[in-house]
Amino acid sequence: MKFEKICILGLGYIGLPTAGTFASHGIRVIGVDNNPSIIKVLQDGNIHIFEPGLKDVVLNALKSGMLTVQGAPEPADAFIIAVPTPFKENKLADMRAVESATHSIVPHLRKGNLVVLESTSPPQTTIKLIVPILERSGLKAGQDFMVAYSPERVLPGKILTELIENARVIGGIDAASAEAGKELYAHFVKGNIILTDATTAEMVKLMENTYRDVNIAIANEFSRLADRFGIDIWEAISIANLHPRVKILNPGPGVGGHCISVDPWFLVEAAPDITPLIHTARKVNDSQPHFVVETVKSALGGSVSKKQIAVLGLSYKPDVDDIRESPAIEAAKLLAEAGALVKAFEPFKPEAKFDKFQSARSLQDAVKDSDAILFLVGHAQFKQLDPEEFSKLTPARIVIDTVNGWDKSTWRSAGFKVIKLGVKKA
Ligand code: SAJ
Protein backbone atom coordinates (compact mmCIF):
# COMPACT_ATOMS: atom_id res chain seq x y z
CA MET A 1 0.00 0.00 0.00
CA LYS A 2 1.23 3.46 -0.88
CA PHE A 3 1.12 6.24 1.68
CA GLU A 4 1.88 9.50 -0.02
CA LYS A 5 -0.23 11.79 2.07
CA ILE A 6 -1.57 11.32 5.59
CA CYS A 7 -3.70 13.43 7.93
CA ILE A 8 -2.81 13.54 11.62
CA LEU A 9 -5.62 14.75 13.84
CA GLY A 10 -4.44 16.36 17.06
CA LEU A 11 -1.15 18.28 17.22
CA GLY A 12 -0.35 17.81 20.90
CA TYR A 13 2.37 15.95 22.75
CA ILE A 14 2.01 12.90 20.49
CA GLY A 15 0.43 14.14 17.27
CA LEU A 16 2.97 16.89 16.68
CA PRO A 17 6.12 14.74 17.10
CA THR A 18 4.46 12.02 15.00
CA ALA A 19 3.63 14.53 12.26
CA GLY A 20 7.16 15.95 12.26
CA THR A 21 8.69 12.48 12.18
CA PHE A 22 6.54 11.20 9.29
CA ALA A 23 7.25 14.42 7.39
CA SER A 24 10.99 14.05 7.85
CA HIS A 25 10.71 10.47 6.54
CA GLY A 26 9.25 11.41 3.20
CA ILE A 27 5.51 11.38 3.82
CA ARG A 28 3.42 14.44 3.12
CA VAL A 29 1.57 15.26 6.34
CA ILE A 30 -1.50 17.40 6.90
CA GLY A 31 -1.48 18.25 10.60
CA VAL A 32 -4.94 19.04 11.91
CA ASP A 33 -5.95 20.69 15.15
CA ASN A 34 -9.28 22.26 16.00
CA ASN A 35 -7.59 24.77 18.30
CA PRO A 36 -6.93 27.83 16.11
CA SER A 37 -4.27 29.19 18.45
CA ILE A 38 -2.16 26.02 17.99
CA ILE A 39 -2.44 26.34 14.21
CA LYS A 40 -1.43 30.01 14.42
CA VAL A 41 1.58 29.32 16.65
CA LEU A 42 2.81 26.67 14.20
CA GLN A 43 2.13 28.77 11.13
CA ASP A 44 4.14 31.55 12.76
CA GLY A 45 7.10 29.18 13.02
CA ASN A 46 6.89 28.38 16.75
CA ILE A 47 5.78 25.37 18.74
CA HIS A 48 3.44 25.32 21.71
CA ILE A 49 4.99 22.49 23.73
CA PHE A 50 8.42 21.82 25.11
CA GLU A 51 10.02 18.55 24.13
CA PRO A 52 13.75 18.16 23.49
CA GLY A 53 14.56 18.40 19.77
CA LEU A 54 10.93 18.83 18.70
CA LYS A 55 11.12 22.43 17.59
CA ASP A 56 13.79 21.72 14.97
CA VAL A 57 12.00 18.67 13.58
CA VAL A 58 8.68 20.50 13.28
CA LEU A 59 10.04 23.75 11.91
CA ASN A 60 12.16 21.93 9.31
CA ALA A 61 9.12 19.91 8.24
CA LEU A 62 7.02 23.06 7.94
CA LYS A 63 9.75 24.85 6.00
CA SER A 64 10.23 21.95 3.58
CA GLY A 65 6.49 21.90 2.86
CA MET A 66 6.22 18.22 3.88
CA LEU A 67 4.09 19.32 6.85
CA THR A 68 1.23 21.75 6.61
CA VAL A 69 -1.17 22.56 9.42
CA GLN A 70 -4.83 23.43 9.26
CA GLY A 71 -8.09 23.33 11.20
CA ALA A 72 -9.84 20.44 9.42
CA PRO A 73 -8.89 17.21 7.64
CA GLU A 74 -8.88 16.65 3.89
CA PRO A 75 -8.75 13.50 1.76
CA ALA A 76 -5.59 11.45 2.36
CA ASP A 77 -4.29 7.87 2.17
CA ALA A 78 -4.37 7.43 5.94
CA PHE A 79 -5.74 9.23 8.98
CA ILE A 80 -4.14 9.07 12.41
CA ILE A 81 -6.15 10.15 15.44
CA ALA A 82 -3.92 11.43 18.25
CA VAL A 83 -6.23 13.57 20.35
CA PRO A 84 -6.40 13.57 24.15
CA THR A 85 -8.55 11.16 26.15
CA PRO A 86 -8.70 12.74 29.60
CA PHE A 87 -11.17 11.71 32.25
CA LYS A 88 -14.14 13.61 33.54
CA GLU A 89 -14.75 14.67 37.16
CA ASN A 90 -16.21 11.22 37.88
CA LYS A 91 -13.05 9.53 36.46
CA LEU A 92 -14.95 8.24 33.43
CA ALA A 93 -13.15 8.48 30.10
CA ASP A 94 -13.93 11.64 28.18
CA MET A 95 -14.06 10.40 24.58
CA ARG A 96 -15.48 13.59 23.07
CA ALA A 97 -12.26 14.59 21.30
CA VAL A 98 -11.85 11.10 19.80
CA GLU A 99 -15.49 11.05 18.69
CA SER A 100 -15.32 14.46 17.13
CA ALA A 101 -12.00 13.76 15.35
CA THR A 102 -13.46 10.50 13.98
CA HIS A 103 -16.60 12.31 12.79
CA SER A 104 -14.46 14.89 11.02
CA ILE A 105 -12.81 12.12 8.95
CA VAL A 106 -16.13 10.68 7.70
CA PRO A 107 -16.73 13.12 4.78
CA HIS A 108 -13.17 12.54 3.52
CA LEU A 109 -13.02 8.75 3.88
CA ARG A 110 -12.32 6.93 0.60
CA LYS A 111 -12.03 3.29 -0.44
CA GLY A 112 -8.63 1.87 0.46
CA ASN A 113 -7.98 4.34 3.32
CA LEU A 114 -6.44 3.35 6.63
CA VAL A 115 -7.60 4.96 9.90
CA VAL A 116 -5.41 4.52 12.98
CA LEU A 117 -6.40 5.46 16.51
CA GLU A 118 -3.39 6.28 18.72
CA SER A 119 -5.17 7.89 21.67
CA THR A 120 -5.19 5.77 24.82
CA SER A 121 -8.74 4.48 25.07
CA PRO A 122 -10.90 2.03 27.04
CA PRO A 123 -10.93 -1.57 25.76
CA GLN A 124 -12.97 -2.12 22.59
CA THR A 125 -13.06 1.57 21.62
CA THR A 126 -11.77 0.79 18.12
CA ILE A 127 -14.39 -1.81 17.29
CA LYS A 128 -17.31 -0.31 19.21
CA LEU A 129 -16.83 3.45 18.81
CA ILE A 130 -14.49 4.20 15.90
CA VAL A 131 -15.75 1.67 13.35
CA PRO A 132 -19.48 2.56 13.70
CA ILE A 133 -18.74 6.29 13.32
CA LEU A 134 -16.57 5.74 10.24
CA GLU A 135 -19.21 3.48 8.66
CA ARG A 136 -21.58 6.45 8.58
CA SER A 137 -19.65 7.28 5.41
CA GLY A 138 -21.54 4.43 3.76
CA LEU A 139 -18.30 2.46 3.41
CA LYS A 140 -17.73 -0.84 5.20
CA ALA A 141 -14.80 -1.33 7.62
CA GLY A 142 -12.60 -4.27 6.69
CA GLN A 143 -14.03 -4.30 3.19
CA ASP A 144 -13.73 -0.72 1.88
CA PHE A 145 -11.34 0.77 4.41
CA MET A 146 -9.02 -0.44 7.16
CA VAL A 147 -8.90 0.42 10.85
CA ALA A 148 -6.18 -0.16 13.43
CA TYR A 149 -5.28 0.80 16.96
CA SER A 150 -1.64 1.65 17.59
CA PRO A 151 -0.87 3.10 20.98
CA GLU A 152 1.84 5.67 21.43
CA ARG A 153 4.22 4.44 24.15
CA VAL A 154 6.81 7.18 24.19
CA LEU A 155 8.19 8.79 27.30
CA PRO A 156 7.74 12.56 27.54
CA GLY A 157 11.25 14.01 27.51
CA LYS A 158 12.44 11.30 25.09
CA ILE A 159 9.60 11.32 22.60
CA LEU A 160 11.56 11.73 19.38
CA THR A 161 13.97 8.90 20.09
CA GLU A 162 11.38 6.54 21.54
CA LEU A 163 8.97 7.12 18.61
CA ILE A 164 11.59 5.68 16.29
CA GLU A 165 13.30 3.12 18.49
CA ASN A 166 10.56 1.60 20.66
CA ALA A 167 8.69 -1.51 19.61
CA ARG A 168 5.37 -0.53 18.06
CA VAL A 169 2.15 -2.50 18.54
CA ILE A 170 -0.42 -2.40 15.79
CA GLY A 171 -3.79 -3.97 16.37
CA GLY A 172 -6.01 -4.29 13.32
CA ILE A 173 -9.74 -4.92 13.12
CA ASP A 174 -8.52 -7.60 10.72
CA ALA A 175 -5.17 -8.87 9.43
CA ALA A 176 -5.14 -6.54 6.40
CA SER A 177 -5.63 -3.50 8.64
CA ALA A 178 -2.74 -4.53 10.89
CA GLU A 179 -0.51 -5.12 7.86
CA ALA A 180 -1.39 -1.73 6.41
CA GLY A 181 -0.56 -0.13 9.76
CA LYS A 182 2.80 -1.86 9.71
CA GLU A 183 3.57 -0.51 6.25
CA LEU A 184 2.69 2.98 7.39
CA TYR A 185 4.72 3.07 10.60
CA ALA A 186 7.65 1.20 9.03
CA HIS A 187 8.48 4.53 7.36
CA PHE A 188 10.22 5.55 10.57
CA VAL A 189 9.92 2.87 13.28
CA LYS A 190 13.20 1.01 13.81
CA GLY A 191 11.95 -1.08 16.76
CA ASN A 192 9.99 -4.29 16.19
CA ILE A 193 6.49 -3.83 14.82
CA ILE A 194 4.18 -6.34 16.43
CA LEU A 195 0.84 -7.12 14.89
CA THR A 196 -2.22 -8.16 16.84
CA ASP A 197 -5.94 -7.37 17.04
CA ALA A 198 -7.28 -3.95 17.99
CA THR A 199 -8.58 -4.82 21.46
CA THR A 200 -5.36 -6.57 22.46
CA ALA A 201 -3.40 -3.48 21.40
CA GLU A 202 -5.71 -1.29 23.51
CA MET A 203 -5.23 -3.59 26.50
CA VAL A 204 -1.44 -3.68 26.05
CA LYS A 205 -1.28 0.08 26.37
CA LEU A 206 -3.56 0.20 29.41
CA MET A 207 -1.74 -2.69 31.08
CA GLU A 208 1.67 -1.05 30.68
CA ASN A 209 0.64 2.17 32.36
CA THR A 210 -1.43 0.40 35.01
CA TYR A 211 1.50 -1.87 35.84
CA ARG A 212 3.64 1.21 36.44
CA ASP A 213 0.94 2.91 38.49
CA VAL A 214 0.52 -0.10 40.76
CA ASN A 215 4.28 -0.36 41.22
CA ILE A 216 4.62 3.32 42.09
CA ALA A 217 1.70 2.93 44.52
CA ILE A 218 3.52 0.22 46.42
CA ALA A 219 6.64 2.41 46.59
CA ASN A 220 4.51 5.26 47.95
CA GLU A 221 2.87 2.97 50.49
CA PHE A 222 6.31 1.73 51.56
CA SER A 223 7.34 5.38 52.12
CA ARG A 224 4.48 5.79 54.59
CA LEU A 225 5.43 2.57 56.37
CA ALA A 226 9.04 3.73 56.57
CA ASP A 227 7.90 6.99 58.10
CA ARG A 228 5.81 5.15 60.67
CA PHE A 229 8.55 2.70 61.63
CA GLY A 230 11.34 5.24 61.74
CA ILE A 231 13.50 4.07 58.86
CA ASP A 232 14.83 5.65 55.66
CA ILE A 233 12.80 4.44 52.67
CA TRP A 234 15.50 5.35 50.17
CA GLU A 235 18.06 3.24 51.96
CA ALA A 236 15.57 0.37 52.37
CA ILE A 237 14.65 0.41 48.67
CA SER A 238 18.25 0.50 47.55
CA ILE A 239 18.97 -2.57 49.65
CA ALA A 240 15.80 -4.43 48.59
CA ASN A 241 16.65 -3.73 44.95
CA LEU A 242 19.87 -5.71 45.29
CA HIS A 243 17.62 -8.77 45.15
CA PRO A 244 17.78 -10.09 41.58
CA ARG A 245 14.00 -10.16 41.14
CA VAL A 246 13.02 -6.97 42.98
CA LYS A 247 12.86 -3.53 41.38
CA ILE A 248 10.94 -1.16 43.61
CA LEU A 249 10.25 2.20 41.96
CA ASN A 250 10.68 5.59 43.61
CA PRO A 251 8.21 7.07 46.04
CA GLY A 252 7.48 10.76 45.59
CA PRO A 253 4.70 13.31 45.79
CA GLY A 254 2.38 11.13 43.69
CA VAL A 255 1.68 10.21 40.10
CA GLY A 256 0.76 12.80 37.52
CA GLY A 257 0.63 13.46 33.82
CA HIS A 258 -2.05 12.64 31.32
CA CYS A 259 -1.14 8.94 31.07
CA ILE A 260 -0.38 6.94 34.17
CA SER A 261 -2.70 8.87 36.46
CA VAL A 262 -5.54 8.56 33.95
CA ASP A 263 -5.29 5.28 32.04
CA PRO A 264 -5.88 2.83 34.91
CA TRP A 265 -9.27 4.48 35.43
CA PHE A 266 -10.28 3.27 31.95
CA LEU A 267 -9.92 -0.31 33.18
CA VAL A 268 -11.72 0.43 36.44
CA GLU A 269 -14.53 2.04 34.46
CA ALA A 270 -14.74 -0.84 31.98
CA ALA A 271 -14.84 -3.57 34.65
CA PRO A 272 -15.26 -2.17 38.18
CA ASP A 273 -16.20 -5.55 39.66
CA ILE A 274 -12.84 -7.16 38.87
CA THR A 275 -10.33 -4.31 39.34
CA PRO A 276 -10.00 -3.65 43.10
CA LEU A 277 -6.18 -3.64 43.02
CA ILE A 278 -5.98 -1.15 40.16
CA HIS A 279 -8.55 1.06 41.84
CA THR A 280 -6.73 1.01 45.18
CA ALA A 281 -3.39 1.83 43.55
CA ARG A 282 -4.98 4.88 41.96
CA LYS A 283 -6.31 5.98 45.33
CA VAL A 284 -2.95 5.46 47.03
CA ASN A 285 -1.13 7.54 44.42
CA ASP A 286 -3.79 10.24 44.39
CA SER A 287 -3.52 10.59 48.16
CA GLN A 288 0.26 10.89 48.22
CA PRO A 289 0.16 14.74 48.15
CA HIS A 290 -1.60 14.49 51.55
CA PHE A 291 1.37 12.52 52.84
CA VAL A 292 3.64 15.28 51.57
CA VAL A 293 1.61 17.83 53.51
CA GLU A 294 1.79 15.68 56.66
CA THR A 295 5.57 15.45 56.21
CA VAL A 296 5.84 19.24 55.87
CA LYS A 297 3.63 19.80 58.91
CA SER A 298 5.69 17.52 61.08
CA ALA A 299 8.91 19.15 59.79
CA LEU A 300 7.55 22.52 60.85
CA GLY A 301 6.47 21.45 64.31
CA GLY A 302 2.92 20.35 63.59
CA SER A 303 1.41 23.25 61.63
CA VAL A 304 2.07 25.14 58.41
CA SER A 305 -0.24 27.99 59.28
CA LYS A 306 1.24 31.37 58.19
CA LYS A 307 4.52 29.68 57.25
CA GLN A 308 6.14 30.90 54.02
CA ILE A 309 6.86 27.81 51.98
CA ALA A 310 8.81 27.93 48.73
CA VAL A 311 7.82 25.09 46.42
CA LEU A 312 10.41 23.98 43.87
CA GLY A 313 8.77 22.40 40.84
CA LEU A 314 5.15 22.05 39.72
CA SER A 315 5.33 19.91 36.59
CA TYR A 316 4.20 16.30 36.77
CA LYS A 317 7.73 14.94 36.59
CA PRO A 318 11.35 16.11 36.17
CA ASP A 319 12.54 18.12 33.18
CA VAL A 320 9.22 18.45 31.38
CA ASP A 321 6.91 21.46 31.19
CA ASP A 322 3.69 19.46 31.43
CA ILE A 323 1.65 20.36 34.51
CA ARG A 324 -1.41 18.25 33.76
CA GLU A 325 -2.65 16.20 36.74
CA SER A 326 0.49 17.21 38.60
CA PRO A 327 0.73 15.94 42.18
CA ALA A 328 3.10 18.83 42.92
CA ILE A 329 0.32 21.30 42.20
CA GLU A 330 -2.02 19.30 44.41
CA ALA A 331 0.51 19.33 47.26
CA ALA A 332 1.04 23.11 46.89
CA LYS A 333 -2.72 23.63 46.89
CA LEU A 334 -3.25 21.45 49.98
CA LEU A 335 -0.51 23.34 51.83
CA ALA A 336 -2.14 26.66 50.97
CA GLU A 337 -5.48 25.29 52.16
CA ALA A 338 -3.79 24.31 55.42
CA GLY A 339 -2.85 27.98 55.92
CA ALA A 340 0.68 28.10 54.46
CA LEU A 341 1.79 31.04 52.33
CA VAL A 342 2.98 29.13 49.29
CA LYS A 343 5.18 30.58 46.58
CA ALA A 344 5.99 28.09 43.84
CA PHE A 345 8.60 28.18 41.09
CA GLU A 346 8.27 26.02 38.01
CA PRO A 347 11.25 26.79 35.73
CA PHE A 348 9.56 25.32 32.64
CA LYS A 349 6.39 27.42 33.14
CA PRO A 350 7.42 30.45 35.20
CA GLU A 351 4.48 32.50 33.97
CA ALA A 352 1.75 29.97 34.93
CA LYS A 353 -0.78 31.27 37.46
CA PHE A 354 -2.68 29.26 40.07
CA ASP A 355 -5.83 29.99 42.07
CA LYS A 356 -4.77 28.83 45.47
CA PHE A 357 -1.13 29.85 45.69
CA GLN A 358 1.35 32.32 44.29
CA SER A 359 3.85 31.51 41.59
CA ALA A 360 7.29 33.06 41.30
CA ARG A 361 9.10 33.93 38.09
CA SER A 362 12.48 32.98 39.44
CA LEU A 363 14.05 30.77 42.06
CA GLN A 364 15.35 33.86 43.87
CA ASP A 365 11.90 35.34 44.06
CA ALA A 366 10.37 32.06 45.32
CA VAL A 367 12.80 31.55 48.19
CA LYS A 368 13.74 35.06 49.29
CA ASP A 369 11.34 35.26 52.27
CA SER A 370 10.71 31.57 52.99
CA ASP A 371 10.59 29.68 56.24
CA ALA A 372 11.01 26.34 54.49
CA ILE A 373 11.82 24.93 51.05
CA LEU A 374 9.75 22.09 49.63
CA PHE A 375 11.45 20.21 46.79
CA LEU A 376 8.67 18.58 44.76
CA VAL A 377 9.98 17.94 41.24
CA GLY A 378 13.49 16.62 40.64
CA HIS A 379 14.36 18.97 37.74
CA ALA A 380 18.09 18.71 36.98
CA GLN A 381 18.56 22.41 37.75
CA PHE A 382 17.22 21.93 41.28
CA LYS A 383 19.21 18.77 41.90
CA GLN A 384 22.36 20.60 40.88
CA LEU A 385 21.83 23.53 43.26
CA ASP A 386 24.86 24.30 45.37
CA PRO A 387 23.58 24.46 48.97
CA GLU A 388 26.25 27.00 49.98
CA GLU A 389 25.18 29.37 47.19
CA PHE A 390 21.52 28.60 47.77
CA SER A 391 21.78 29.50 51.46
CA LYS A 392 22.60 33.07 50.40
CA LEU A 393 19.28 33.35 48.53
CA THR A 394 16.97 32.43 51.39
CA PRO A 395 16.51 32.87 55.12
CA ALA A 396 15.00 29.32 55.22
CA ARG A 397 17.15 26.74 56.98
CA ILE A 398 14.86 23.78 56.55
CA VAL A 399 14.39 21.83 53.33
CA ILE A 400 11.91 19.05 52.70
CA ASP A 401 13.05 16.84 49.85
CA THR A 402 10.28 14.59 48.49
CA VAL A 403 12.30 13.17 45.59
CA ASN A 404 15.59 12.21 47.23
CA GLY A 405 17.28 14.77 44.99
CA TRP A 406 19.66 16.35 47.48
CA ASP A 407 22.55 14.87 49.38
CA LYS A 408 21.75 15.15 53.05
CA SER A 409 25.26 15.66 54.33
CA THR A 410 26.22 18.45 51.88
CA TRP A 411 23.02 20.32 52.61
CA ARG A 412 23.53 19.82 56.32
CA SER A 413 27.07 21.16 56.08
CA ALA A 414 25.65 24.27 54.40
CA GLY A 415 23.47 24.86 57.47
CA PHE A 416 20.18 23.26 56.43
CA LYS A 417 18.00 20.87 58.35
CA VAL A 418 17.09 18.23 55.77
CA ILE A 419 13.84 16.27 55.93
CA LYS A 420 13.18 13.60 53.32
CA LEU A 421 9.88 12.03 52.35
CA GLY A 422 9.69 8.58 53.89
CA VAL A 423 12.47 9.16 56.40
CA LYS A 424 11.55 9.53 60.02
CA LYS A 425 14.64 11.24 61.34
CA ALA A 426 16.12 14.47 59.99
N1 SAJ B 1 6.85 8.42 39.14
C1 SAJ B 1 7.09 8.13 40.49
N2 SAJ B 1 8.01 7.17 40.78
C2 SAJ B 1 8.69 6.50 39.82
C3 SAJ B 1 8.43 6.79 38.46
C4 SAJ B 1 7.50 7.76 38.16
O1 SAJ B 1 6.49 8.71 41.39
O2 SAJ B 1 9.53 5.67 40.18
C5 SAJ B 1 5.84 9.45 38.80
C6 SAJ B 1 6.41 10.60 37.95
O3 SAJ B 1 6.98 11.59 38.76
C7 SAJ B 1 5.15 11.07 37.25
C8 SAJ B 1 4.38 9.77 37.02
O4 SAJ B 1 4.89 8.84 37.95
O5 SAJ B 1 4.37 11.92 38.08
C9 SAJ B 1 4.47 9.21 35.62
O6 SAJ B 1 5.79 9.36 35.11
P1 SAJ B 1 6.50 8.26 34.19
O7 SAJ B 1 7.83 8.77 33.84
O8 SAJ B 1 6.44 6.94 34.85
O9 SAJ B 1 5.57 8.10 32.94
P2 SAJ B 1 4.88 9.12 31.91
O10 SAJ B 1 3.47 9.34 32.36
O11 SAJ B 1 5.69 10.31 31.63
O12 SAJ B 1 4.88 8.21 30.59
C10 SAJ B 1 4.23 6.95 30.64
C11 SAJ B 1 5.18 5.89 30.08
N3 SAJ B 1 4.64 4.56 30.37
C12 SAJ B 1 5.37 3.63 31.01
O13 SAJ B 1 6.52 3.84 31.38
C13 SAJ B 1 4.73 2.31 31.22
C14 SAJ B 1 5.33 6.09 28.59
O14 SAJ B 1 6.07 5.02 28.01
C15 SAJ B 1 3.95 6.16 27.91
O15 SAJ B 1 4.05 6.38 26.53
C16 SAJ B 1 3.21 7.33 28.52
O16 SAJ B 1 3.03 7.06 29.92
C17 SAJ B 1 1.88 7.49 27.83
O17 SAJ B 1 1.76 8.39 26.99
O18 SAJ B 1 0.97 6.70 28.08
Side-chain angles (χ1 to χ4, degrees), residues 312-334:
L312 304 196
L314 289 173
S315 62
Y316 87 92
K317 71 171 188 174
D319 302 320
V320 299
D321 74 336
D322 193 342
I323 55 173
R324 288 177 292 177
E325 311 294 334
S326 173
I329 294 178
E330 182 65 13
K333 193 185 101 190
L334 291 171

Side-chain angles (χ1 to χ4, degrees), residues 14 120 152-156 162 205 208-209 212 216 220 249-252 254-260 263 316-318 327:
I14 300 303
T120 307
E152 59 79 14
R153 296 150 92 203
V154 290
L155 195 71
E162 290 207 354
K205 168 72 192 189
E208 289 167 353
N209 280 357
R212 197 153 165 88
I216 299 169
N220 283 334
L249 292 174
N250 293 318
V255 169
H258 51 296
C259 309
I260 297 191
D263 302 353
Y316 87 92
K317 71 171 188 174

Side-chain angles (χ1 to χ4, degrees), residues 69-376:
V69 292
Q70 59 196 46
E74 62 179 51
D77 301 316
F79 298 86
I80 293 178
I81 302 167
V83 295
T85 44
F87 53 36
K88 298 178 261 189
E89 280 297 301
N90 52 10
K91 310 286 189 202
L92 300 181
D94 181 349
M95 300 304 288
R96 282 174 300 180
V98 167
E99 284 175 34
S100 120
T102 314
H103 277 290
S104 76
I105 295 171
V106 172
H108 307 290
L109 197 63
R110 304 280 179 270
K111 278 198 172 184
N113 278 171
L114 166 69
V115 179
V116 183
L117 175 65
E118 284 203 14
S119 313
T120 307
S121 301
Q124 300 184 320
T125 296
T126 308
I127 52 172
K128 292 203 169 153
L129 184 72
I130 304 299
V131 165
I133 295 177
L134 293 173
E135 286 188 335
R136 292 186 194 179
S137 61
L139 300 174
K140 185 110 191 68
Q143 194 178 299
D144 300 318
F145 64 94
M146 294 164 285
V147 185
Y149 179 78
S150 181
E152 59 79 14
R153 296 150 92 203
V154 290
L155 195 71
K158 288 192 186 165
I159 291 181
L160 289 172
T161 337
E162 290 207 354
L163 255 186
I164 293 174
E165 280 164 19
N166 285 5
R168 181 115 208 168
V169 188
I170 300 179
I173 57 158
D174 53 19
S177 296
E179 277 299 337
K182 180 174 181 176
E183 276 179 54
L184 175 60
Y185 286 96
H187 279 90
F188 67 76
V189 172
K190 290 202 190 120
N192 282 344
I193 299 184
I194 299 118
L195 304 189
T196 181
D197 64 86
T199 308
T200 301
E202 290 163 350
M203 276 296 290
V204 165
K205 168 72 192 189
L206 294 169
M207 282 167 25
E208 289 167 353
N209 280 357
T210 300
Y211 169 86
R212 197 153 165 88
D213 197 42
V214 172
N215 280 286
I216 299 169
I218 200 163
N220 283 334
E221 202 158 277
F222 286 156
S223 73
R224 301 175 195 184
L225 287 164
D227 186 75
R228 169 142 335 156
F229 297 123
I231 63 150
D232 177 333
I233 190 59
W234 307 95
E235 181 196 0
I237 289 177
S238 70
I239 300 171
N241 281 352
L242 295 174
H243 186 289
R245 285 174 297 283
V246 173
K247 177 77 192 80
I248 301 170
L249 292 174
N250 293 318
V255 169
H258 51 296
C259 309
I260 297 191
S261 68
V262 175
D263 302 353
W265 287 115
F266 294 175
L267 293 175
V268 174
E269 172 187 354
D273 52 325
I274 47 175
T275 46
L277 174 66
I278 298 171
H279 195 168
T280 303
R282 273 287 68 243
K283 289 202 265 185
V284 168
N285 287 334
D286 273 355
S287 62
Q288 189 73 350
H290 290 272
F291 180 53
V292 171
V293 172
E294 288 315 308
T295 304
V296 177
K297 278 187 182 165
S298 102
L300 297 181
S303 163
V304 292
S305 180
K306 304 262 175 352
K307 291 279 174 18
Q308 297 257 10
I309 299 176
V311 161
L312 304 196
L314 289 173
S315 62
Y316 87 92
K317 71 171 188 174
D319 302 320
V320 299
D321 74 336
D322 193 342
I323 55 173
R324 288 177 292 177
E325 311 294 334
S326 173
I329 294 178
E330 182 65 13
K333 193 185 101 190
L334 291 171
L335 276 173
E337 285 170 357
L341 306 161
V342 174
K343 210 167 193 193
F345 174 54
E346 171 43 65
F348 289 89
K349 279 229 160 81
E351 71 298 334
K353 296 260 178 289
F354 302 88
D355 289 346
K356 301 264 173 169
F357 55 88
Q358 274 193 1
S359 47
R361 284 184 165 263
S362 66
L363 180 65
Q364 285 81 347
D365 182 27
V367 304
K368 67 177 193 279
D369 302 314
S370 341
D371 297 309
I373 310 293
L374 175 60
F375 185 12
L376 283 181

